[in-house]
Amino acid sequence: MKKFCTAAATALLLLQLQSQGQTGISAKDSIILEHGAHRAGNRTDADMERWRSLRLGQFIHWGLYAIPGGEWKGKTYNGAAEWIRSWKEMPQADYDNLYKQFNPVNYNPEQWAQQAKDMGTGYMIITTKHHDGFCLWPSKYSRYTVAASPWKKDIIGPMVTAYNKKGIDVYLYFSIIDWNHPDYRASLKTPADSLANSRFKVFVKNQLQELLLKYPTVKGFWFDGTWDDSWKNDGAFSDELEQYLQKIHPGLIIGSRLRADEKGARHFDSNGHLMGDYEQGWERKLPEKFADIHGNDWEGVMTIPENQWGYNAKWAGHIKTSNELIEMLVKSTSLDGNFVINFGPKSDGTFRTEELQRMQEIGQWMKTNGAAIRGGGYAGFEKQDWGYYIRKTGTDSVFMVVCNVPVSGSLRVKLTAQTTLTKAAYLDNPTQPLLPEVIGKNEYFLHLDAKNYQTPVVILLQTNRSSSGDNSHFEKAKT
Ligand code: FHN
């Protein structure tokens, strides 16, 4: 039977959430949760403001799975390369011995950081430990680490230093699932399982604390592998863990994948409120419209092929082009979200050609148009078929990112009531005239130059939000 909400603090939180329209659950139907959401609305501190402003991220999945690269003994694994250990054709003992071959002699963190910088990346996420349990840092709590490999050295430290030097923030991916750890249990069926799980929780906490102490400049954790029963049925622990980590590392950013509430609800608690600092459920998909994000900070993570995160020698199926990825970045920004593109380096420490090409092409576009992305967000205008509006947050400057140029070359610009257009200009060529045709009080046509656009074209609009609807400046300009 549901317990009805009586506690003053819970009621206050609920009222705040309801007034912000973040929940479809009325106060009457809300239940008391000890381990549900602890905050109404988004974080407003400087760390979170920065995360929100960066918009473009680079995800790197790197680990032992890069060695087989989706193949074992001449056979091709159809799943995601980083899951190959779970394939029946690959004996687990063979996988668990791959660390003896991990020797990325061409690993050059400074070059990686430069490439990421050139792509326009504001932050990066690196897999410190994926589901296989292999640690890319020399953890004192595990023997299954880089220290035991022929490479011997830390991978993470030099990466954090190199990226930070280029002004790129670093986030640490950490999988709770750990196939290598003797105490990891997906579910707890016996008292012995529960004992093992208790030891495992201490191990997890120790490793996370170790990572924060070793790499104090990191900005947050990116948790994964939190869907097993053993984890999601222990909301008290993940709650305590999140609070502990944010206490020892103030400002630390943690998405919604870490926690479950005491009823096993993940991401959103049983009252429908987001747990964690941003919504982390957008994996290989993006929200369609602004209403889908319910006012929450969010981040989408995307693979270049269909579903490969770690290195797979044979990419199959549709491989996203740079323009597709740019459009996803633009769409995410226009919906107040961050967009993170995944790369899976080879086992020698280099990137495949297709990935390098995308980094360069996206970088080229960002060099000219990055001003529309960084610090951009939802504009509040009705979406049009040509693409996406992005507002330079807190200003009257709005970018139009045109991803589909109509055959007519005419772009309808529809602003909200009381908003008029005062100026329109190409972002890459502000002196070239772009005179709006006034078709209504708050409606215009912009006529693009007839040319073959190879990448999304960006137009910067200056708007006046408290206007009387006077468009005479354009009429004058036309005569
Ligand atoms: O199983 C993993 C997968 O390998 C990859 O790491 C992605 C990244 O978001 N997360 C998991 C699936 O949700």
Side-chain angles (χ1 to χ4, degrees):
M1 200 171 99
K2 282 181 181 176
K3 279 198 219 161
F4 287 98
C5 180
T6 52
T10 315
L12 187 64
L13 176 65
L14 276 171
L15 271 175
Q16 285 171 319
L17 290 163
Q18 276 141 15
S19 68
Q20 290 161 9
Q22 289 191 35
T23 166
I25 300 174
S26 70
K28 178 169 76 63
D29 294 331
S30 297
I31 53 176
I32 295 176
L33 291 171
E34 214 181 315
H35 303 293
H38 295 311
R39 189 190 54 244
N42 293 323
R43 263 173 63 174
T44 52
D45 56 279
D47 292 290
M48 203 64 202
E49 290 286 1
R50 178 172 165 88
W51 176 89
R52 194 178 290 129
S53 73
L54 299 175
R55 292 295 183 228
L56 174 61
Q58 179 193 47
F59 210 153
I60 293 202
H61 273 69
W62 201 31
L64 298 182
Y65 37 82
I67 299 172
E71 287 171 25
W72 192 246
K73 303 241 157 88
K75 288 190 180 161
T76 302
Y77 173 49
N78 286 326
E82 71 282 0
W83 275 78
I84 198 167
R85 187 186 183 276
S86 63
W87 184 31
K88 63 176 179 9
E89 298 290 341
M90 179 158 197
Q92 290 183 354
D94 286 2
Y95 187 95
D96 293 343
N97 275 309
L98 286 176
Y99 75 94
K100 294 177 184 161
Q101 297 172 45
F102 187 75
N103 197 14
V105 289
N106 295 316
Y107 171 50
N108 182 339
E110 287 76 26
Q111 193 182 37
W112 283 28
Q114 186 61 54
Q115 287 160 344
K117 178 91 191 155
D118 292 344
M119 183 171 86
T121 310
Y123 69 105
M124 70 91 72
I125 308 162
I126 175 67
T127 47
T128 57
K129 175 172 98 160
H130 204 262
H131 309 332
D132 61 4
F134 182 71
C135 304
L136 285 188
W137 83 101
S139 174
K140 68 177 178 197
Y141 300 104
S142 169
R143 283 200 294 269
Y144 195 47
T145 83
V146 271
S149 74
W151 179 252
K152 291 194 170 59
K153 293 162 283 186
D154 185 13
I155 291 284
I156 302 297
M159 197 181 298
V160 175
T161 306
Y163 275 76
N164 282 172
K165 260 194 199 151
K166 298 280 173 206
I168 300 173
D169 291 347
V170 176
Y171 287 76
L172 303 180
Y173 169 107
F174 185 95
S175 168
I176 298 297
I177 289 178
D178 188 326
W179 293 327
N180 187 267
H181 199 283
D183 287 333
Y184 182 71
R185 301 285 184 279
S187 60
L188 310 179
K189 298 192 179 84
T190 65
D193 285 344
S194 298
L195 263 180
N197 187 50
S198 302
R199 290 191 297 268
F200 184 74
K201 287 191 287 188
V202 174
F203 165 69
V204 164
K205 192 170 171 181
N206 281 338
Q207 282 208 317
L208 293 171
Q209 184 185 22
E210 180 183 46
L211 284 166
L212 290 181
L213 291 175
K214 265 179 105 60
Y215 314 116
T217 62
V218 299
K219 299 290 185 184
F221 278 118
W222 204 99
F223 287 103
D224 201 3
T226 50
W227 50 80
D228 281 337
D229 285 349
S230 55
W231 189 263
K232 68 178 195 202
N233 292 340
D234 193 356
F237 179 69
S238 55
D239 188 4
E240 185 255 319
L241 183 65
E242 184 182 71
Q243 293 186 44
Y244 172 73
L245 296 172
Q246 290 185 321
K247 190 166 152 223
I248 62 168
H249 194 105
L252 194 74
I253 295 175
I254 296 176
S256 64
R257 281 195 194 206
L258 174 65
R259 288 178 53 199
D261 72 8
E262 58 262 52
K263 295 189 170 296
R266 298 175 61 233
H267 297 281
F268 294 88
D269 69 18
S270 301
N271 290 320
H273 309 142
L274 183 71
M275 293 180 287
D277 297 325
Y278 63 93
E279 193 191 343
Q280 210 185 349
W282 300 99
E283 177 176 315
R284 297 190 300 117
K285 62 179 180 195
L286 297 180
E288 255 325 296
K289 51 188 187 312
F290 192 59
D292 296 344
I293 63 160
H294 306 288
N296 293 314
D297 278 320
W298 67 275
E299 173 197 76
V301 291
M302 192 59 65
T303 47
I304 298 175
E306 199 46 45
N307 184 23
Q308 295 293 336
W309 299 86
Y311 174 71
N312 187 317
K314 288 188 195 142
W315 271 359
H318 178 66
I319 311 299
K320 293 173 197 75
T321 63
S322 300
N323 273 337
E324 282 175 90
L325 294 162
I326 291 169
E327 180 163 354
M328 290 174 179
L329 166 66
V330 169
K331 181 177 185 182
S332 304
T333 306
S334 78
L335 297 176
D336 272 352
N338 287 1
F339 184 68
V340 178
I341 306 172
N342 181 72
F343 299 85
K346 298 181 200 170
S347 60
D348 72 347
T350 61
F351 290 88
R352 71 198 306 146
T353 318
E354 300 93 322
E355 290 187 341
L356 288 172
Q357 192 193 353
R358 276 152 188 78
M359 282 189 221
Q360 282 154 11
E361 289 173 354
I362 294 167
Q364 247 164 12
W365 187 86
M366 282 292 285
K367 211 167 156 197
T368 317
N369 302 298
I373 301 297
R374 285 183 290 270
Y378 181 61
F381 298 152
E382 189 185 304
K383 167 134 178 37
Q384 302 292 320
D385 291 341
W386 45 254
Y388 307 88
Y389 292 109
I390 293 174
R391 182 179 297 279
K392 201 170 176 54
T393 307
T395 74
D396 284 329
S397 301
V398 175
F399 299 94
M400 289 169 60
V401 187
V402 183
C403 297
N404 315 301
V405 177
V407 281
S408 65
S410 302
L411 312 173
R412 181 180 291 270
V413 180
K414 198 171 169 208
L415 309 182
T416 44
Q418 310 305 324
T419 306
T420 51
L421 188 60
T422 54
K423 198 179 162 197
Y426 289 100
L427 186 61
D428 66 350
N429 193 358
T431 53
Q432 190 183 341
L434 190 55
L435 289 179
E437 179 189 348
V438 181
I439 53 173
K441 224 176 171 188
N442 318 98
E443 232 173 308
Y444 310 81
F445 265 132
L446 288 177
H447 303 288
L448 283 183
D449 290 346
K451 71 177 188 196
N452 188 7
Y453 294 93
Q454 299 292 319
T455 54
V457 59
V458 182
I459 295 165
L460 174 56
L461 308 178
Q462 296 302 339
T463 65
N464 180 351
R465 264 190 274 190
S466 53
S467 102
S468 56
D470 177 16
N471 282 308
S472 57
H473 45 291
F474 291 130
E475 306 306 335
K476 275 188 221 116
K478 272 208 237 160
T479 53

